[in-house]
Amino acid sequence: MPSIRHFFRASILAALLPCAAQADTVVLHAERATAGADPHTSARMVEVELKPESRKALADFTRERVGKRIQLRSNGVLLSSATLMSPLEGGSFRITAGEHGFEGKSADEIAQGIMKTGELTVDDENAAK
């Protein structure tokens, strides 16, 4: 017959497993998003300035994930997937388009979409979307 201690450990493990498999998602609110071109490479990019409360949320989220991969999305479009080398603690950042833009969308479309909703999401790379 299993002991109470065995049952308790199994219950804790069962309760923790779903949490370990879940990925966190943080919603960020943009103050401003503008399309442009990188002055050195001419690659299309979007510059994003976050609202103050989102600056803290992004810093907290990334501080816990240094060395891990995260994803940045806007309106369901993957904008960037990268391994964090350090926490993102500034109030603004630049996202450079890949070879085919942002999943086929232009930097202008992405910037307009961000300004329309005012939101971006950042999550763990393995988050189901």
Side-chain angles (χ1 to χ4, degrees), residues 3-117:
S3 70
I4 295 288
R5 186 183 315 195
H6 176 75
F7 178 78
F8 184 71
R9 284 185 190 158
S11 296
I12 290 175
L13 183 59
L16 291 177
L17 285 176
C19 294
Q22 283 184 335
D24 289 329
T25 298
V26 174
V27 177
L28 304 173
H29 299 281
E31 187 79 42
R32 183 177 9 267
T34 54
D38 184 295
H40 303 291
T41 66
S42 299
R44 297 298 293 164
M45 51 103 187
V46 176
E47 289 193 54
V48 177
E49 184 179 336
L50 297 175
K51 291 186 177 183
E53 66 276 6
S54 289
R55 294 173 188 177
K56 180 178 179 346
L58 181 61
D60 291 346
F61 182 85
T62 58
R63 193 174 298 114
E64 298 171 1
R65 288 166 174 80
V66 172
K68 296 180 181 170
R69 291 189 66 81
I70 63 165
Q71 298 176 334
L72 180 68
R73 298 176 190 276
S74 172
N75 300 308
V77 175
L78 179 64
L79 303 178
S80 181
S81 179
T83 300
L84 288 172
M85 302 310 283
S86 63
L88 302 176
E89 296 180 326
S92 62
F93 53 87
R94 179 181 294 173
I95 313 157
T96 304
E99 184 178 333
H100 302 290
F102 299 102
E103 290 188 2
K105 295 198 180 283
S106 70
D108 291 318
E109 291 172 306
I110 294 299
Q112 289 170 7
I114 293 169
M115 290 308 299
K116 184 176 180 180
T117 65

